[in-house]
């Protein structure tokens, strides 16, 4: 019999917060009269005593806690994937282990799921983080939502609730965990958002640096390629090719006009040694290459095997049919 709720919690150097977090989850489950749940802690290569804390809790509550230890720090996506594979609940929550997210908000998520959403994400409307984190995060959310078409305020919030079939349809790697709403939206799942309280970090330090935004941008390109352009790669490469072709055409046309004006007796100087000439030629060559690549990609996409097509169709059929 599947458990009703699963809490998947990645852990990286959070020894001071694990016991308190579990007790908070227990309290909320008691208050909401939910007795069928599990908490899955994934130690993502911690260098402190986090794993010892996890194993102690698991030994005290073997019916409620599952403990997973990764060999080294593989990143949040890998940790979440390991937790999702072990989760037995029909509703799966993810939240960070640093106590900045309050488990007391769980009933809000359940209420939104009951109203018909498949994925509900937290919105940290008032973030208690330094400007060095909040400003890049706002920029990241704005760009990601604009390019993916998902209307959200805080796509990167780790506090989320999913129906099980959402996670069964998505494969995580790299930094794709922050784009789960975009991937789910592409498959036709209904995405919702709920305002949550965000508390200052009292223990440990943030595990994220500026390099995660560079990785996140590259993964954003991956998301765009595998969602909006998966079955029409010619639109992606062809569109880029047309853009470069337009720039090259305008540049070379400008130089051609100057060349004719020189022939008419006006002295605008030679065009053969102008950087704009080389720039226009390079843009034109790049345009031809990208359009050719788009045509080849379309030919390859047309030869995709039938099993893959059947799998894609099965992932977009709404067969939920159950209440939480």
């Amino acid at each position: 019999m599947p458990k009703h709720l699963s809490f998947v919690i990645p852990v990286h150097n959070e020894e001071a917060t694990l016991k308190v977090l579990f007790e908070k989850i227990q309290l909320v489950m008691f208050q909401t009269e939910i007795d069928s749940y599990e908490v899955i802690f994934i130690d993502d290569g911690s260098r402190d005593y986090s794993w010892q804390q996890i194993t102690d809790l698991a030994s005290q509550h073997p019916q409620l806690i599952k403990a997973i230890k990764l060999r080294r720090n593989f990143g949040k996506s890998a940790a979440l994937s390991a937790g999702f594979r072990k989760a037995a609940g029909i509703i799966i929550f993810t939240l960070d282990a640093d106590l900045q997210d309050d488990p007391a908000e769980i009933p809000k998520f359940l209420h939104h799921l009951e109203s018909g959403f498949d994925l509900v994400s937290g919105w940290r409307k008032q973030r208690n983080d330094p400007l060095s984190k909040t400003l890049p995060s706002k920029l990241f959310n704005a760009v990601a939502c604009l390019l993916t078409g998902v209307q959200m305020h805080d796509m990167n919030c780790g506090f989320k609730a999913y129906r099980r079939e959402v996670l069964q349809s998505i494969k995580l790697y790299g930094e794709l965990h922050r784009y789960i709403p975009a991937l789910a939206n592409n498959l036709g799942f209904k995405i919702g958002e709920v305002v949550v309280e965000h508390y200052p970090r009292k223990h440990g330090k943030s595990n994220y640096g500026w390099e995660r935004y560079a990785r996140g941008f590259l993964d954003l390109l991956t998301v765009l390629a595998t969602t909006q352009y998966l079955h029409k790669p010619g639109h992606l490469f062809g569109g880029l090719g047309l853009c470069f072709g337009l720039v090259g055409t305008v540049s070379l046309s400008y130089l051609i006009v100057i060349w004719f004006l020189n022939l008419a007796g006006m002295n605008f100087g030679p065009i053969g040694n102008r950087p704009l000439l080389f720039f226009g030629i390079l843009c034109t060559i790049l345009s031809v290459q990208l359009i050719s690549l788009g045509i080849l990609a379309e030919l390859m996409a047309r030869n995709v095997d039938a099993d893959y097509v059947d799998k894609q169709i099965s992932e977009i059929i709404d067969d939920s049919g159950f209440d939480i």
Side-chain angles (χ1 to χ4, degrees):
M1 183 70 179
K3 291 183 182 294
H4 192 81
L5 298 180
S6 293
F7 297 92
V8 177
I9 306 174
V11 177
H12 184 66
N13 299 333
E14 305 287 359
E15 60 177 330
T17 61
L18 298 178
K19 183 178 180 180
V20 177
L21 176 59
F22 175 68
E23 290 173 348
K24 285 178 175 287
I25 293 174
Q26 273 189 305
L27 178 60
V28 175
M29 293 296 95
F30 174 77
Q31 292 173 340
T32 53
E33 299 182 347
I34 297 175
D35 55 7
S36 180
Y37 68 95
E38 65 182 1
V39 179
I40 305 173
F41 288 112
I42 307 98
D43 181 11
D44 186 21
S46 296
R47 295 183 299 273
D48 60 0
Y49 293 100
S50 293
W51 179 243
Q52 182 176 332
Q53 289 288 330
I54 293 172
T55 53
D56 288 346
L57 287 170
S59 63
Q60 296 169 19
H61 307 276
Q63 302 300 318
L64 296 178
I65 294 180
K66 292 180 180 177
I68 302 173
K69 182 176 177 61
L70 305 186
R71 294 189 183 94
R72 63 171 178 83
N73 180 221
F74 285 94
K76 194 170 184 178
S77 287
L80 287 173
S81 294
F84 294 154
R85 285 198 296 270
K86 295 291 186 180
I90 61 173
I91 300 299
I92 300 174
F93 279 84
T94 61
L95 65 161
D96 295 332
D98 54 15
L99 292 180
Q100 289 191 272
D101 299 322
D102 190 353
E105 309 274 7
I106 290 171
K108 290 184 182 180
F109 288 83
L110 294 175
H111 175 72
H112 275 65
L113 288 172
E114 287 173 346
S115 64
F117 291 101
D118 300 301
L119 186 161
V120 180
S121 179
W123 173 16
R124 299 164 293 185
K125 196 170 185 178
Q126 298 292 332
R127 286 192 63 173
N128 283 287
D129 282 324
L131 189 63
S132 60
K133 288 188 65 177
T134 56
L135 188 60
S137 181
K138 287 182 179 180
L139 178 61
F140 164 82
N141 277 294
V143 173
C145 292
L146 176 65
L147 294 180
T148 61
V150 179
Q151 301 302 315
M152 295 182 66
H153 297 88
D154 193 2
M155 188 182 296
N156 200 29
C157 180
F159 202 175
K160 291 182 173 69
Y162 311 82
R163 293 186 183 270
R164 185 176 184 83
E165 64 267 25
V166 175
L167 298 175
Q168 289 176 333
S169 303
I170 295 173
K171 302 296 184 290
L172 294 184
Y173 57 90
E175 299 288 326
L176 290 186
H177 62 274
R178 57 172 56 90
Y179 297 114
I180 292 180
L183 296 171
N185 181 72
N186 180 67
L187 293 174
F189 292 108
K190 191 175 180 182
I191 312 301
E193 199 170 30
V194 59
V195 176
V196 296
E197 292 290 334
H198 189 248
Y199 295 91
R201 175 185 277 270
K202 296 181 179 180
H203 305 279
K205 63 179 182 179
S206 175
N207 298 312
Y208 297 107
W210 284 92
E211 71 281 356
R212 74 166 178 157
Y213 294 106
R215 298 195 302 268
F217 175 73
L218 294 176
D219 281 313
L220 176 59
L221 298 180
T222 300
V223 169
L224 292 175
T226 57
T227 55
Q228 299 183 27
Y229 298 102
L230 179 62
H231 298 296
K232 48 183 180 180
H235 291 203
L236 174 61
F237 295 108
L240 291 173
L242 290 175
C243 290
F244 281 106
L246 178 62
V247 173
T249 300
V250 171
S251 302
L252 295 178
S253 297
Y254 170 74
L255 294 176
I256 290 172
V257 171
I258 291 179
W259 184 70
F260 277 111
L261 291 176
N262 285 335
L263 291 179
M266 301 181 186
N267 186 18
F268 285 93
I271 65 173
N273 58 356
R274 297 192 182 202
L276 187 61
L277 175 63
F278 300 100
F279 175 74
I281 293 173
L282 288 174
C283 283
T284 304
I285 294 173
L286 182 58
S287 172
V288 173
Q289 290 178 329
L290 286 171
I291 293 174
S292 301
L293 182 60
I295 294 173
L296 291 174
E298 285 286 344
L299 293 174
M300 294 176 64
R302 293 297 179 268
N303 291 322
V304 66
D305 63 76
D307 290 340
Y308 181 77
V309 174
D310 291 341
K311 180 176 183 296
Q312 288 294 105
I313 293 174
S314 68
E315 288 177 348
I316 63 175
I317 295 176
D318 182 8
D319 60 354
S320 53
F322 59 81
D323 298 323
I324 65 170

